[in-house]
Amino acid sequence: MEPHPRDPGRAAWALPCLLLLALPGVGAQAFSLHQPQDKVPVAAGETLTLNCTTSRTDIIGGVRWLKGWGSENKTIYDQRVPSFFPRVTRAVDGSDTDFTIHIRNVQPEDMGTYYCVKYTKEDSGEEVVFRRGNGTEVSVQAKPSPPLVSGPEQRAVLGQSVPFTCTATGFFPREITVKWFKNKNPISAQQPQVSEWRVKTYNMSSTVKVTLQKDDVLSQLTCEVQHSTLPAPLRGSFQLSRVLRVPPIVEVDTKPSPAEVNKTVTFTCLVKEFYPADVSVSWLQNGIQIKVENISRPSELSSGLFRLESQVEVQATEEKNGSTITCRVVHDAQAPANTSAFLWISNPAQGESSKGSQMLKDDMLIYIVVGVVCTVLALLVAAILYLIRTKQIKGKSSPSARLHEPEKSSEATTQESDPNNLTYADLNFEKERKTIRRMVEMSQQSEYACIQTNRAPNGDDNLTYADLDMVHLSKAPKRPAPRPEETGSEYASVQITRK
Protein backbone atom coordinates (compact mmCIF):
# COMPACT_ATOMS: atom_id res chain seq x y z
CA MET A 1 0.00 0.00 0.00
CA GLU A 2 1.13 3.54 -0.78
CA PRO A 3 1.50 6.06 2.07
CA HIS A 4 -1.22 8.65 2.39
CA PRO A 5 -0.12 12.05 1.06
CA ARG A 6 -1.05 13.71 4.33
CA ASP A 7 0.88 11.31 6.58
CA PRO A 8 2.77 13.10 9.36
CA GLY A 9 6.51 13.46 9.01
CA ARG A 10 9.13 11.76 11.05
CA ALA A 11 9.15 14.61 13.64
CA ALA A 12 5.39 14.32 14.10
CA TRP A 13 5.74 10.61 14.94
CA ALA A 14 8.20 11.53 17.68
CA LEU A 15 5.73 13.82 19.53
CA PRO A 16 4.69 12.33 22.87
CA CYS A 17 1.12 11.33 23.23
CA LEU A 18 1.00 13.13 26.64
CA LEU A 19 0.60 16.48 24.85
CA LEU A 20 -3.06 15.74 24.81
CA LEU A 21 -3.11 16.10 28.61
CA ALA A 22 -2.63 19.85 28.25
CA LEU A 23 -5.85 20.16 26.32
CA PRO A 24 -8.62 21.55 28.47
CA GLY A 25 -11.15 18.96 29.66
CA VAL A 26 -9.21 16.05 28.35
CA GLY A 27 -7.70 13.41 30.67
CA ALA A 28 -5.03 10.99 29.56
CA GLN A 29 -6.67 8.11 31.27
CA ALA A 30 -10.11 8.87 29.88
CA PHE A 31 -9.30 7.49 26.33
CA SER A 32 -8.24 3.92 25.48
CA LEU A 33 -7.30 2.18 22.23
CA HIS A 34 -7.39 -1.58 22.13
CA GLN A 35 -5.51 -3.69 19.52
CA PRO A 36 -5.87 -7.23 20.89
CA GLN A 37 -4.05 -9.32 18.21
CA ASP A 38 -0.39 -10.06 18.79
CA LYS A 39 0.33 -12.41 15.85
CA VAL A 40 -1.95 -13.33 12.98
CA PRO A 41 -1.03 -15.98 10.39
CA VAL A 42 -2.82 -15.82 7.07
CA ALA A 43 -2.56 -17.70 3.83
CA ALA A 44 -1.83 -15.86 0.64
CA GLY A 45 -4.95 -14.97 -1.23
CA GLU A 46 -7.14 -15.02 1.83
CA THR A 47 -8.67 -12.03 3.69
CA LEU A 48 -6.80 -10.64 6.70
CA THR A 49 -8.80 -9.16 9.64
CA LEU A 50 -7.12 -6.62 11.96
CA ASN A 51 -9.05 -5.66 15.14
CA CYS A 52 -9.00 -2.18 16.75
CA THR A 53 -11.50 -0.41 19.07
CA THR A 54 -11.53 2.89 21.01
CA SER A 55 -13.41 3.97 24.16
CA ARG A 56 -14.39 7.58 23.35
CA THR A 57 -15.61 9.51 20.37
CA ASP A 58 -15.11 13.11 21.44
CA ILE A 59 -11.45 13.27 20.53
CA ILE A 60 -10.98 15.33 17.42
CA GLY A 61 -8.90 13.46 14.87
CA GLY A 62 -9.11 10.38 12.75
CA VAL A 63 -7.91 6.77 13.02
CA ARG A 64 -5.39 5.18 10.65
CA TRP A 65 -3.78 1.77 10.13
CA LEU A 66 -0.04 1.83 9.51
CA LYS A 67 2.25 -0.95 8.34
CA GLY A 68 5.52 -0.54 10.16
CA TRP A 69 6.62 2.25 12.46
CA GLY A 70 9.10 5.03 11.93
CA SER A 71 10.41 6.38 8.69
CA GLU A 72 9.42 3.25 6.73
CA ASN A 73 5.80 3.21 7.81
CA LYS A 74 3.06 2.99 5.22
CA THR A 75 -0.58 3.93 5.63
CA ILE A 76 -2.89 1.16 4.56
CA TYR A 77 -6.16 2.74 5.79
CA ASP A 78 -7.29 6.29 6.65
CA GLN A 79 -10.67 6.98 8.19
CA ARG A 80 -10.93 10.26 6.33
CA VAL A 81 -10.34 8.81 2.82
CA PRO A 82 -11.46 5.15 2.98
CA SER A 83 -11.91 4.87 -0.78
CA PHE A 84 -8.18 5.44 -1.35
CA PHE A 85 -7.47 1.83 -0.33
CA PRO A 86 -9.53 -0.51 -2.52
CA ARG A 87 -8.37 -3.75 -0.84
CA VAL A 88 -9.24 -2.50 2.67
CA THR A 89 -12.75 -2.24 4.07
CA ARG A 90 -14.21 -1.50 7.53
CA ALA A 91 -15.67 -4.40 9.41
CA VAL A 92 -18.32 -2.07 10.92
CA ASP A 93 -18.86 0.66 8.42
CA GLY A 94 -19.48 4.14 9.97
CA SER A 95 -18.67 3.15 13.55
CA ASP A 96 -16.87 5.73 15.73
CA THR A 97 -15.38 3.17 18.13
CA ASP A 98 -14.77 -0.01 16.06
CA PHE A 99 -12.01 0.46 13.54
CA THR A 100 -11.51 -3.23 12.63
CA ILE A 101 -10.53 -3.65 8.98
CA HIS A 102 -10.44 -6.42 6.35
CA ILE A 103 -7.60 -6.72 3.81
CA ARG A 104 -8.58 -8.85 0.82
CA ASN A 105 -6.28 -11.12 -1.23
CA VAL A 106 -3.32 -10.96 1.10
CA GLN A 107 0.02 -11.55 -0.59
CA PRO A 108 3.44 -12.42 0.86
CA GLU A 109 4.52 -8.81 0.47
CA ASP A 110 1.78 -7.88 2.96
CA MET A 111 3.75 -9.51 5.77
CA GLY A 112 4.79 -7.11 8.57
CA THR A 113 3.59 -5.42 11.79
CA TYR A 114 0.42 -3.33 11.66
CA TYR A 115 -0.51 -0.52 14.06
CA CYS A 116 -3.90 1.04 14.80
CA VAL A 117 -3.22 4.80 15.50
CA LYS A 118 -5.52 7.53 16.86
CA TYR A 119 -4.64 11.09 15.82
CA THR A 120 -5.60 14.52 17.23
CA LYS A 121 -5.13 18.12 16.09
CA GLU A 122 -3.00 20.78 17.64
CA ASP A 123 -3.91 24.47 17.74
CA SER A 124 -1.88 24.93 14.63
CA GLY A 125 -4.18 22.44 12.89
CA GLU A 126 -1.44 19.83 12.50
CA GLU A 127 -2.37 16.22 13.35
CA VAL A 128 -0.30 14.39 15.88
CA VAL A 129 -0.39 10.87 17.32
CA PHE A 130 -2.70 10.60 20.27
CA ARG A 131 -2.74 6.82 20.86
CA ARG A 132 -1.42 3.73 19.04
CA GLY A 133 -1.95 0.08 19.55
CA ASN A 134 0.68 -2.50 20.49
CA GLY A 135 0.90 -3.74 16.92
CA THR A 136 -0.14 -6.99 15.20
CA GLU A 137 2.52 -9.12 13.50
CA VAL A 138 1.13 -10.60 10.30
CA SER A 139 2.77 -13.61 8.68
CA VAL A 140 1.63 -14.68 5.25
CA GLN A 141 1.88 -18.39 4.41
CA ALA A 142 2.16 -18.54 0.62
CA LYS A 143 1.27 -21.80 -1.07
CA PRO A 144 3.41 -22.87 -3.99
CA SER A 145 1.84 -22.76 -7.39
CA PRO A 146 0.83 -26.10 -8.92
CA PRO A 147 4.06 -27.70 -10.19
CA LEU A 148 4.71 -27.44 -13.89
CA VAL A 149 6.70 -30.21 -15.60
CA SER A 150 8.44 -29.41 -18.88
CA GLY A 151 10.58 -31.45 -21.25
CA PRO A 152 12.76 -30.90 -24.31
CA GLU A 153 11.34 -28.94 -27.22
CA GLN A 154 12.16 -31.66 -29.75
CA ARG A 155 11.44 -35.36 -29.73
CA ALA A 156 14.17 -37.74 -28.62
CA VAL A 157 15.05 -41.20 -29.91
CA LEU A 158 15.09 -44.43 -27.94
CA GLY A 159 17.89 -44.85 -25.43
CA GLN A 160 18.53 -41.12 -25.11
CA SER A 161 18.74 -39.57 -21.63
CA VAL A 162 16.31 -36.65 -21.57
CA PRO A 163 16.10 -33.95 -18.84
CA PHE A 164 12.75 -32.89 -17.36
CA THR A 165 12.20 -29.87 -15.10
CA CYS A 166 9.59 -29.24 -12.40
CA THR A 167 8.94 -25.65 -11.22
CA ALA A 168 6.77 -24.11 -8.49
CA THR A 169 6.62 -20.39 -7.61
CA GLY A 170 5.43 -17.87 -5.00
CA PHE A 171 5.64 -19.90 -1.80
CA PHE A 172 6.60 -19.02 1.73
CA PRO A 173 8.30 -20.16 3.88
CA ARG A 174 11.35 -21.33 1.97
CA GLU A 175 11.35 -25.01 2.95
CA ILE A 176 9.88 -27.29 0.27
CA THR A 177 10.12 -30.99 -0.71
CA VAL A 178 10.08 -32.41 -4.25
CA LYS A 179 9.64 -36.05 -5.35
CA TRP A 180 9.63 -37.62 -8.84
CA PHE A 181 7.72 -40.68 -10.04
CA LYS A 182 7.57 -42.62 -13.30
CA ASN A 183 4.34 -44.61 -13.52
CA LYS A 184 4.04 -44.36 -9.71
CA ASN A 185 7.57 -45.70 -9.27
CA PRO A 186 9.96 -43.27 -7.51
CA ILE A 187 13.05 -42.14 -9.40
CA SER A 188 16.06 -40.25 -8.11
CA ALA A 189 16.53 -36.56 -8.90
CA GLN A 190 18.80 -33.69 -8.07
CA GLN A 191 18.15 -31.51 -5.01
CA PRO A 192 15.67 -28.72 -5.80
CA GLN A 193 17.06 -25.24 -6.41
CA VAL A 194 15.22 -22.58 -4.32
CA SER A 195 15.64 -18.88 -5.09
CA GLU A 196 13.96 -15.70 -3.82
CA TRP A 197 11.47 -14.37 -6.28
CA ARG A 198 9.60 -11.39 -4.86
CA VAL A 199 9.45 -9.91 -1.38
CA LYS A 200 9.15 -12.84 1.01
CA THR A 201 8.42 -15.40 -1.74
CA TYR A 202 10.46 -18.17 -3.33
CA ASN A 203 10.67 -20.20 -6.50
CA MET A 204 11.69 -23.85 -6.85
CA SER A 205 13.23 -25.78 -9.76
CA SER A 206 13.98 -29.52 -9.81
CA THR A 207 15.50 -31.58 -12.66
CA VAL A 208 15.46 -35.30 -13.39
CA LYS A 209 16.88 -37.32 -16.31
CA VAL A 210 14.95 -40.19 -17.89
CA THR A 211 16.24 -42.69 -20.46
CA LEU A 212 13.45 -43.20 -22.97
CA GLN A 213 12.33 -46.74 -23.80
CA LYS A 214 10.05 -48.20 -26.45
CA ASP A 215 7.25 -48.86 -23.96
CA ASP A 216 7.32 -45.26 -22.66
CA VAL A 217 4.59 -44.27 -25.11
CA LEU A 218 2.08 -44.84 -22.30
CA SER A 219 4.39 -43.75 -19.47
CA GLN A 220 3.78 -40.70 -17.28
CA LEU A 221 6.28 -38.62 -15.34
CA THR A 222 5.00 -37.00 -12.10
CA CYS A 223 6.47 -34.22 -9.94
CA GLU A 224 5.12 -34.09 -6.37
CA VAL A 225 5.58 -30.96 -4.19
CA GLN A 226 5.09 -30.86 -0.39
CA HIS A 227 4.95 -27.58 1.60
CA SER A 228 3.85 -26.51 5.07
CA THR A 229 0.97 -24.51 3.61
CA LEU A 230 -0.49 -27.51 1.77
CA PRO A 231 -2.96 -29.95 3.33
CA ALA A 232 -1.99 -32.44 0.60
CA PRO A 233 0.87 -32.59 -1.91
CA LEU A 234 0.54 -30.87 -5.26
CA ARG A 235 1.34 -32.87 -8.39
CA GLY A 236 2.26 -32.05 -11.95
CA SER A 237 2.49 -34.69 -14.70
CA PHE A 238 4.05 -35.08 -18.13
CA GLN A 239 3.29 -37.70 -20.79
CA LEU A 240 6.55 -39.07 -22.17
CA SER A 241 4.90 -39.67 -25.52
CA ARG A 242 5.10 -35.88 -26.04
CA VAL A 243 8.88 -36.09 -26.49
CA LEU A 244 9.29 -39.73 -27.64
CA ARG A 245 9.98 -40.87 -31.19
CA VAL A 246 9.98 -44.57 -32.11
CA PRO A 247 11.21 -45.10 -35.72
CA PRO A 248 9.28 -47.68 -37.77
CA ILE A 249 10.35 -51.16 -38.84
CA VAL A 250 9.82 -51.42 -42.63
CA GLU A 251 9.41 -54.72 -44.51
CA VAL A 252 8.38 -55.45 -48.13
CA ASP A 253 6.65 -58.68 -49.14
CA THR A 254 6.02 -59.89 -52.72
CA LYS A 255 3.27 -62.27 -53.84
CA PRO A 256 3.55 -64.25 -56.03
CA SER A 257 7.27 -64.54 -56.59
CA PRO A 258 8.37 -65.33 -59.22
CA ALA A 259 5.33 -64.25 -61.20
CA GLU A 260 4.05 -65.40 -64.55
CA VAL A 261 4.28 -63.09 -67.52
CA ASN A 262 1.49 -60.48 -67.73
CA LYS A 263 0.18 -61.40 -64.29
CA THR A 264 -0.41 -58.87 -61.51
CA VAL A 265 2.09 -58.87 -58.65
CA THR A 266 1.16 -57.34 -55.28
CA PHE A 267 3.88 -55.68 -53.21
CA THR A 268 3.04 -55.08 -49.54
CA CYS A 269 4.93 -52.61 -47.36
CA LEU A 270 4.61 -53.28 -43.62
CA VAL A 271 5.42 -50.26 -41.44
CA LYS A 272 5.44 -51.54 -37.86
CA GLU A 273 5.70 -50.22 -34.28
CA PHE A 274 6.27 -46.51 -34.76
CA TYR A 275 5.34 -43.35 -32.86
CA PRO A 276 3.94 -40.75 -33.41
CA ALA A 277 1.40 -41.60 -36.09
CA ASP A 278 2.72 -38.98 -38.52
CA VAL A 279 3.93 -41.16 -41.42
CA SER A 280 3.72 -41.20 -45.22
CA VAL A 281 4.42 -44.08 -47.62
CA SER A 282 5.32 -43.86 -51.32
CA TRP A 283 6.33 -46.47 -53.92
CA LEU A 284 9.07 -46.31 -56.56
CA GLN A 285 9.97 -48.57 -59.50
CA ASN A 286 13.64 -48.28 -60.40
CA GLY A 287 13.68 -44.87 -58.72
CA ILE A 288 10.53 -43.58 -60.47
CA GLN A 289 7.49 -42.97 -58.29
CA ILE A 290 4.46 -45.23 -58.74
CA LYS A 291 0.98 -43.83 -58.29
CA VAL A 292 -0.94 -45.55 -55.48
CA GLU A 293 -4.70 -45.15 -55.45
CA ASN A 294 -5.52 -46.58 -52.02
CA ILE A 295 -3.79 -44.69 -49.21
CA SER A 296 -3.74 -46.56 -45.89
CA ARG A 297 -4.07 -44.97 -42.45
CA PRO A 298 -2.12 -46.01 -39.36
CA SER A 299 -3.85 -48.18 -36.80
CA GLU A 300 -3.03 -47.98 -33.07
CA LEU A 301 -1.77 -51.03 -31.21
CA SER A 302 -2.43 -51.90 -27.57
CA SER A 303 1.09 -50.73 -26.69
CA GLY A 304 0.29 -47.21 -27.95
CA LEU A 305 2.49 -47.67 -31.03
CA PHE A 306 1.14 -47.56 -34.57
CA ARG A 307 1.13 -49.89 -37.57
CA LEU A 308 0.48 -49.28 -41.27
CA GLU A 309 0.16 -51.55 -44.32
CA SER A 310 0.45 -50.19 -47.86
CA GLN A 311 0.08 -52.15 -51.12
CA VAL A 312 0.87 -51.53 -54.78
CA GLU A 313 0.11 -53.70 -57.84
CA VAL A 314 2.61 -54.08 -60.70
CA GLN A 315 2.01 -55.73 -64.09
CA ALA A 316 4.63 -58.47 -64.58
CA THR A 317 5.75 -57.78 -68.14
CA GLU A 318 8.99 -59.18 -69.55
CA GLU A 319 10.70 -55.79 -69.72
CA LYS A 320 10.06 -55.31 -65.98
CA ASN A 321 11.84 -58.52 -65.03
CA GLY A 322 14.40 -57.76 -62.31
CA SER A 323 12.96 -54.32 -61.56
CA THR A 324 13.51 -52.85 -58.11
CA ILE A 325 10.31 -51.94 -56.25
CA THR A 326 11.01 -49.61 -53.32
CA CYS A 327 8.83 -48.66 -50.36
CA ARG A 328 9.80 -45.21 -49.07
CA VAL A 329 8.66 -44.26 -45.55
CA VAL A 330 8.89 -40.73 -44.12
CA HIS A 331 8.18 -40.71 -40.37
CA ASP A 332 7.68 -37.57 -38.30
CA ALA A 333 9.48 -35.35 -40.81
CA GLN A 334 12.66 -37.41 -40.51
CA ALA A 335 14.95 -38.69 -43.28
CA PRO A 336 13.23 -41.28 -45.54
CA ALA A 337 13.68 -44.98 -44.83
CA ASN A 338 13.78 -47.17 -47.98
CA THR A 339 13.21 -50.93 -48.25
CA SER A 340 13.22 -52.69 -51.65
CA ALA A 341 12.18 -55.95 -53.29
CA PHE A 342 12.68 -57.34 -56.82
CA LEU A 343 10.17 -58.28 -59.50
CA TRP A 344 11.05 -61.70 -60.88
CA ILE A 345 9.16 -63.14 -63.86
CA SER A 346 9.05 -66.81 -64.91
CA ASN A 347 8.34 -67.84 -68.59
CA PRO A 348 6.17 -71.02 -68.86
CA ALA A 349 8.04 -72.27 -72.01
CA GLN A 350 11.35 -71.70 -70.38
CA GLY A 351 9.97 -73.43 -67.34
CA GLU A 352 9.24 -76.63 -69.31
CA SER A 353 12.69 -76.55 -70.91
CA SER A 354 14.29 -75.99 -67.58
CA LYS A 355 12.27 -78.84 -66.15
CA GLY A 356 13.41 -81.26 -68.91
CA SER A 357 16.99 -80.15 -68.54
CA GLN A 358 16.77 -80.70 -64.85
CA MET A 359 15.36 -84.22 -65.37
CA LEU A 360 18.23 -85.03 -67.79
CA LYS A 361 20.70 -83.82 -65.25
CA ASP A 362 19.07 -86.00 -62.63
CA ASP A 363 19.25 -89.09 -64.93
CA MET A 364 22.92 -88.46 -65.68
CA LEU A 365 23.60 -88.16 -62.02
CA ILE A 366 21.91 -91.51 -61.37
CA TYR A 367 23.98 -93.19 -64.11
CA ILE A 368 27.18 -91.79 -62.73
CA VAL A 369 26.33 -92.95 -59.24
CA VAL A 370 25.46 -96.46 -60.44
CA GLY A 371 28.67 -96.70 -62.46
CA VAL A 372 30.77 -95.61 -59.52
CA VAL A 373 29.07 -98.12 -57.23
CA CYS A 374 29.58 -100.97 -59.69
CA THR A 375 33.23 -100.07 -60.16
CA VAL A 376 33.79 -100.02 -56.43
CA LEU A 377 32.08 -103.38 -56.01
CA ALA A 378 34.16 -104.95 -58.82
CA LEU A 379 37.36 -103.66 -57.26
CA LEU A 380 36.25 -104.95 -53.89
CA VAL A 381 35.54 -108.45 -55.26
CA ALA A 382 38.88 -108.56 -57.08
CA ALA A 383 40.68 -107.53 -53.91
CA ILE A 384 38.91 -110.23 -51.90
CA LEU A 385 39.79 -112.91 -54.47
CA TYR A 386 43.37 -111.75 -54.54
CA LEU A 387 43.62 -111.92 -50.76
CA ILE A 388 42.10 -115.39 -50.70
CA ARG A 389 44.47 -116.60 -53.41
CA THR A 390 47.49 -115.15 -51.62
CA LYS A 391 46.45 -116.77 -48.36
CA GLN A 392 46.02 -120.18 -50.01
CA ILE A 393 49.41 -120.01 -51.70
CA LYS A 394 51.10 -119.19 -48.42
CA GLY A 395 49.14 -121.83 -46.46
CA LYS A 396 50.18 -124.87 -48.44
CA SER A 397 53.39 -126.30 -49.66
CA SER A 398 53.75 -126.05 -53.45
CA PRO A 399 51.30 -128.66 -54.42
CA SER A 400 52.37 -130.67 -57.40
CA ALA A 401 50.79 -133.59 -59.03
CA ARG A 402 52.48 -136.44 -60.64
CA LEU A 403 50.64 -138.12 -63.33
CA HIS A 404 51.64 -141.71 -63.53
CA GLU A 405 50.87 -143.28 -66.80
CA PRO A 406 49.82 -146.86 -66.12
CA GLU A 407 51.99 -149.58 -67.48
CA LYS A 408 50.86 -151.15 -70.58
CA SER A 409 49.66 -154.19 -68.85
CA SER A 410 46.36 -155.38 -67.77
CA GLU A 411 47.41 -155.24 -64.15
CA ALA A 412 46.19 -152.39 -61.95
CA THR A 413 48.79 -150.07 -60.46
CA THR A 414 48.49 -149.27 -56.79
CA GLN A 415 50.03 -146.20 -55.16
CA GLU A 416 52.30 -146.75 -52.26
CA SER A 417 50.86 -143.94 -50.23
CA ASP A 418 47.88 -144.05 -48.03
CA PRO A 419 44.69 -144.35 -50.07
CA ASN A 420 43.01 -141.71 -47.85
CA ASN A 421 45.47 -139.10 -49.01
CA LEU A 422 45.09 -139.85 -52.74
CA THR A 423 43.42 -137.61 -55.25
CA TYR A 424 42.72 -139.05 -58.66
CA ALA A 425 42.38 -137.39 -61.99
CA ASP A 426 40.81 -138.90 -65.04
CA LEU A 427 42.84 -138.00 -68.04
CA ASN A 428 40.97 -138.75 -71.24
CA PHE A 429 43.08 -138.64 -74.32
CA GLU A 430 42.28 -139.72 -77.82
CA LYS A 431 44.76 -142.60 -78.03
CA GLU A 432 44.70 -146.06 -79.25
CA ARG A 433 42.36 -148.28 -77.35
CA LYS A 434 43.82 -150.21 -74.46
CA THR A 435 42.47 -152.54 -71.93
CA ILE A 436 43.01 -151.54 -68.32
CA ARG A 437 41.80 -152.76 -65.05
CA ARG A 438 40.71 -151.06 -61.94
CA MET A 439 43.63 -148.99 -60.80
CA VAL A 440 43.25 -148.97 -57.12
CA GLU A 441 40.67 -149.28 -54.49
CA MET A 442 39.19 -145.91 -53.71
CA SER A 443 38.24 -144.55 -50.36
CA GLN A 444 35.45 -142.13 -49.46
CA GLN A 445 37.94 -139.36 -48.99
CA SER A 446 39.17 -139.45 -52.58
CA GLU A 447 38.29 -136.66 -55.01
CA TYR A 448 38.37 -136.86 -58.77
CA ALA A 449 38.93 -134.61 -61.67
CA CYS A 450 38.43 -135.31 -65.34
CA ILE A 451 40.64 -133.69 -67.91
CA GLN A 452 39.74 -134.03 -71.54
CA THR A 453 41.60 -132.97 -74.66
CA ASN A 454 40.94 -133.28 -78.36
CA ARG A 455 44.54 -133.67 -79.34
CA ALA A 456 46.25 -137.00 -78.90
CA PRO A 457 49.64 -137.14 -77.25
CA ASN A 458 52.71 -137.66 -79.48
CA GLY A 459 53.77 -140.90 -77.84
CA ASP A 460 52.65 -143.55 -75.48
CA ASP A 461 55.40 -142.82 -73.09
CA ASN A 462 54.62 -139.14 -72.73
CA LEU A 463 53.68 -137.98 -69.25
CA THR A 464 51.13 -135.30 -68.50
CA TYR A 465 51.28 -133.25 -65.33
CA ALA A 466 48.45 -131.32 -63.72
CA ASP A 467 48.42 -128.90 -60.81
CA LEU A 468 45.19 -129.50 -59.01
CA ASP A 469 43.99 -126.65 -56.80
CA MET A 470 42.51 -128.32 -53.76
CA VAL A 471 40.26 -125.36 -53.11
CA HIS A 472 38.52 -125.78 -56.42
CA LEU A 473 38.46 -129.56 -56.10
CA SER A 474 36.90 -129.39 -52.68
CA LYS A 475 34.04 -127.31 -54.00
CA ALA A 476 32.94 -130.10 -56.35
CA PRO A 477 30.53 -132.65 -54.92
CA LYS A 478 32.09 -136.00 -54.20
CA ARG A 479 31.28 -139.02 -56.30
CA PRO A 480 32.15 -142.68 -56.12
CA ALA A 481 35.40 -143.98 -57.50
CA PRO A 482 35.42 -144.09 -61.29
CA ARG A 483 34.66 -147.19 -63.08
CA PRO A 484 37.00 -148.53 -65.72
CA GLU A 485 36.70 -146.40 -68.80
CA GLU A 486 36.69 -147.49 -72.33
CA THR A 487 39.91 -148.59 -73.95
CA GLY A 488 40.37 -145.09 -75.29
CA SER A 489 41.01 -143.57 -71.85
CA GLU A 490 44.24 -143.09 -69.99
CA TYR A 491 44.49 -142.69 -66.18
CA ALA A 492 46.98 -140.99 -64.05
CA SER A 493 47.20 -140.71 -60.32
CA VAL A 494 47.92 -137.41 -58.64
CA GLN A 495 49.38 -137.48 -55.18
CA ILE A 496 48.92 -134.36 -53.04
CA THR A 497 49.91 -134.22 -49.44
CA ARG A 498 47.16 -132.79 -47.24
CA LYS A 499 48.04 -130.63 -44.30
Side-chain angles (χ1 to χ4, degrees), residues 5 47 49 63 109 135 150 176 239 270 301 308 330 334 336 345 360 381 388 404 408 440 499:
T47 299
T49 300
V63 176
E109 54 265 27
S150 60
I176 194 169
Q239 296 294 331
L270 300 177
L301 305 175
L308 183 142
V330 178
Q334 301 300 299
I345 301 174
L360 180 59
V381 170
I388 292 175
H404 300 277
K408 296 177 173 40
V440 70
K499 293 184 180 181

Side-chain angles (χ1 to χ4, degrees), residues 269 280-284 289-290 292 310 326-330 338:
C269 184
S280 63
V281 178
S282 59
W283 289 91
L284 298 92
Q289 188 167 356
I290 306 174
V292 179
S310 177
T326 302
C327 174
R328 173 170 293 179
V329 178
V330 178
N338 298 331

